């Protein structure tokens, strides 16, 4: 990246280090914000914002609001995608990060239901929708910054850096919750799986308020970016579309559908391993719907150990996808997810060692399936609609997978009388749908991001260059 593109000798370029940091730090902050909400949705929000005589009803209500943000994500993908495809990646990424940061900070100062009644719950829903709206524009922009600035033959590797934001955000967010739990421990004799009164009163707010510091760092890095040469060339050639959404729906509908279902297994696995598992792991063994009975601190530490494998195999997946192709790697990984969903109960039945193995395997597969998406989804679409197309596929999949996964998982957990075997079957079925989508798709490793028109998924070879978005 030290030499400017041909024909643009005076055009500034982004150093590789700035590209990687900018794509990583933004998604780390975005996922951090989502994780701290997910943790609070399990630990404290049921009693603070959804009081009910039935704990499971309160938990499901809290999960419903968690899932509501996923509905806002496609809206964010359309709005930010429109801006990103018309105005450029840099300004759009700054706007999405700022929106997410403000919403997260405001959650940290909200009144509770006991203080403001339904108004408190409504405000929480509003902030959660704002989080989802912002994240709808964040991921695709970060992926484009990474892949559109990548050297030849390393696009999937560069595409893994925004994906690393997921495990990094998890570790930082849950690490901060663990720190607050250690500083504000439950009283002697109290249930160690339940937070202390001080934590419920104010300790949970600290991670949300701390997000302001992380956002400030992220904004500083992103303001230093210059626009990608790929987008600049498209803009200078008149390839910017007036209505990117209409163009991508009319001309690239097949890619939208396939991209959505290719992401499905990833999303379901992601939220089962991060959100459902926390509820299942902490639920007492003698509860009406029994769980594993671990204390909060113990189980989160086990999860963080598993997430280390998530991070490692996200990075490993990039060189593998560059060498063997995105489709081939994802076919093998998705087949492994099908098998993994069917062995949940045998694994968990092995005791603590089995639970750790379950977490490690789940997060390892998560890294292998999530990593290549940073390159694959942008490669499905031409430059003029790439932000919109990849963002819609990524975020519509969040509705089909992530929005309903925690809710369905809790219902299946109850239907299994405390056994998660039905939850595992649900994961396997969703992975089978992804397998079908992958079999109907084509390899995108050799598609040039400078091609004005990406080949339709399923075509034998990339289409010849034409006007962007045509």
């Amino acid at each position: 990246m030290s030499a400017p593109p041909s024909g643009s000798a005076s055009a500034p370029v982004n150093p590789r280090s700035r590209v990687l940091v900018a794509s990583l730090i933004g998604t780390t902050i975005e996922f951090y914000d989502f994780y701290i909400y997910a943790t609070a949705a399990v630990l404290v929000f049921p009693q603070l914002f959804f009081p009910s005589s039935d704990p499971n009803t309160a938990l499901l209500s809290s999960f419903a609001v968690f899932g509501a943000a996923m509905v806002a994500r496609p809206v964010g993908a359309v709005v930010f995608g429109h801006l990103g495809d018309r105005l450029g990646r840099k300004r759009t990424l700054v706007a999405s990060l700022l929106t997410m940061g403000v919403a997260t900070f405001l959650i940290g100062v909200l009144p509770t239901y006991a203080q403001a009644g339904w108004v408190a719950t409504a405000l929480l829903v509003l902030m959660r929708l704002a989080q989802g709206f912002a994240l709808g524009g964040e991921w695709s922009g970060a992926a484009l910054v990474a892949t559109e600035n990548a050297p030849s033959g390393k696009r999937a590797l560069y595409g893994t850096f925004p994906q690393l934001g997921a495990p990094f955000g998890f570790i930082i967010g849950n690490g901060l919750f663990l720190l607050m739990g250690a500083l504000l421990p439950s009283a002697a004799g109290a249930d160690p799986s339940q937070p202390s009164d001080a934590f419920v009163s104010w300790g949970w707010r600290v991670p949300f308020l701390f997000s302001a510091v992380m956002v400030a760092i992220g904004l500083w890095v992103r303001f230093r970016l210059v626009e990608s040469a790929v987008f600049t060339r498209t803009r200078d050639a008149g390839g910017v579309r007036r209505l990117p959404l209409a163009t991508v729906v009319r001309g690239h509908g097949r890619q939208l559908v396939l991209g959505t279902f290719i992401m499905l297994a990833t999303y379901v696995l992601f939220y089962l391993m991060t959100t459902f598992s926390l509820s299942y792991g902490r639920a007492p063994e003698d509860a009406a719907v029994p769980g594993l009975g671990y204390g909060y601190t113990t189980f989160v530490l086990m999860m963080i150990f598993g997430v280390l494998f998530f991070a490692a195999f996200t990075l490993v997946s990039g060189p593998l996808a560059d060498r063997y192709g995105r489709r081939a790697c994802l076919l093998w990984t998705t087949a492994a997810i099908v098998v993994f969903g069917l062995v949940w109960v045998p694994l968990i039945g092995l005791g603590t060692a089995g639970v750790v193995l379950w977490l490690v395997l789940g997060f390892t597969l998560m890294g292998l399936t999530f990593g290549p998406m940073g390159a694959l989804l942008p490669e499905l679409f031409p430059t003029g609609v790439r932000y919109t197309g990849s963002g819609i596929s990524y975020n519509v999949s969040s509705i089909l997978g992530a929005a309903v996964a925690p809710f369905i998982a809790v219902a299946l957990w109850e239907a299994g009388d405390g056994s998660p075997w039905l939850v595992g079957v649900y994961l396997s079925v969703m992975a089978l749908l992804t397998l079908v989508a992958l079999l109907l798709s084509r390899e995108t490793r050799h598609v040039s991001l400078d091609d004005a028109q990406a080949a339709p998924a399923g075509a034998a070879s990339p289409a010849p260059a034409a006007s962007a978005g045509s």
Side-chain angles (χ1 to χ4, degrees):
M1 302 302 291
S2 59
S6 176
S8 304
S10 62
V13 295
N14 291 301
R16 294 182 184 181
S17 58
R18 187 180 302 168
V19 168
L20 298 179
V21 171
S23 61
L24 171 61
I25 194 167
T27 52
T28 297
I29 294 168
E30 302 285 353
F31 279 104
Y32 165 86
D33 290 349
F34 254 56
Y35 284 134
I36 60 175
Y37 184 95
T39 302
V42 173
L43 285 181
V44 295
F45 283 176
Q47 64 190 97
L48 292 179
F49 293 97
F50 309 97
S52 171
S53 57
D54 180 7
N56 281 334
T57 299
L59 178 62
L60 287 173
S61 298
S62 184
F63 276 162
V65 175
F66 178 79
M70 304 301 173
V71 178
R73 286 175 62 164
V75 179
V78 171
V79 173
F80 286 112
H82 179 88
L83 296 174
D85 282 329
R86 285 188 57 80
L87 303 179
R89 294 28 171 152
K90 173 184 174 178
R91 284 182 284 179
T92 307
L93 277 171
V94 168
S96 67
L97 181 59
L98 189 58
T99 302
M100 184 74 168
V102 170
T104 304
F105 182 85
L106 290 178
I107 290 177
V109 298
L110 286 181
T112 65
Y113 186 90
Q115 296 167 325
W118 66 268
V119 173
T121 304
L123 288 173
L124 179 65
V125 173
L126 180 62
M127 293 303 101
R128 183 66 182 146
L129 290 173
Q131 282 188 316
F133 178 79
L135 190 55
E138 166 60 31
W139 177 85
S140 50
L144 265 56
V145 164
T147 56
E148 289 184 347
N149 288 280
S152 176
K154 294 186 177 180
R155 203 158 58 211
L157 173 61
Y158 271 52
T160 61
F161 277 81
Q163 312 301 75
L164 283 172
F168 286 6
F170 182 95
I171 292 171
I172 297 171
N174 282 279
L176 191 51
F177 264 106
L178 282 178
L179 177 62
M180 295 307 302
L183 294 175
L184 303 171
S186 299
D191 183 353
S193 70
Q194 301 301 317
S196 67
D197 291 341
F199 186 93
V200 172
S201 176
W202 62 269
W204 67 270
R205 299 180 183 272
V206 173
F208 289 91
L209 300 178
F210 178 73
S211 68
V213 177
M214 299 181 65
V215 168
I217 297 172
L219 289 174
W220 176 75
V221 173
R222 286 191 168 174
F223 272 122
R224 301 180 67 208
L225 284 173
V226 296
E227 196 55 73
S228 75
V230 170
F231 175 80
T232 300
R233 286 193 289 273
T234 297
R235 181 188 60 197
D236 293 346
V240 171
R241 313 309 295 173
R242 188 171 65 89
L243 294 173
L245 175 62
T247 301
V248 79
V249 170
R250 184 175 61 247
H252 308 280
R254 180 178 172 86
Q255 290 99 310
L256 284 175
V257 174
L258 287 178
T260 297
F261 280 92
I262 286 171
M263 272 296 303
L264 183 62
T266 302
Y267 263 123
V268 174
L269 177 63
F270 181 69
Y271 284 94
L272 290 182
M273 298 308 301
T274 58
T275 303
F276 167 75
S277 66
L278 184 59
S279 298
Y280 175 63
R282 291 177 55 250
E285 295 179 279
D286 58 353
V289 183
L292 296 176
Y294 289 98
Y296 169 73
T297 299
T298 300
F299 195 75
V300 171
L301 287 173
M302 292 163 65
M303 290 178 70
I304 289 176
F305 178 72
V307 169
L308 294 176
F309 289 82
F310 181 6
F313 281 90
T314 295
L315 198 57
V316 165
S317 71
L320 290 176
D322 277 327
R323 180 171 182 179
Y324 299 107
R326 293 77 161 112
R327 183 173 177 269
C329 290
L330 288 172
L331 280 169
W332 282 104
T333 301
T334 306
I337 293 173
V338 174
V339 176
F340 174 68
L342 300 177
V343 298
W344 275 30
V345 171
L347 283 174
I348 293 169
L350 297 176
T352 297
V355 173
V356 172
L357 181 59
W358 170 60
L359 292 170
V360 167
L361 288 176
F363 282 118
T364 295
L365 291 172
M366 186 62 222
L368 292 172
T369 185
F370 191 49
M373 298 298 176
L376 186 150
L377 293 185
E379 289 167 349
L380 291 175
F381 303 94
T383 305
V385 295
R386 185 170 296 135
Y387 205 129
T388 300
S390 61
I392 290 176
S393 291
Y394 183 84
N395 289 293
V396 169
S397 188
S398 76
I399 297 178
L400 301 178
V404 298
F407 193 86
I408 291 176
V410 171
L412 293 175
W413 178 25
E414 291 180 337
D417 295 324
S419 170
W421 74 273
L422 287 173
V423 183
V425 171
Y426 165 61
L427 171 62
S428 296
V429 171
M430 296 300 101
L432 286 173
L433 292 177
T434 290
L435 269 179
V436 172
L438 286 167
L439 291 171
L440 293 174
S441 70
R442 59 179 288 274
E443 179 55 58
T444 60
R445 176 173 42 150
H446 299 300
V447 170
S448 170
L449 293 190
D450 257 329
D451 284 347
Q453 173 68 55
S461 61
S467 267
S470 62

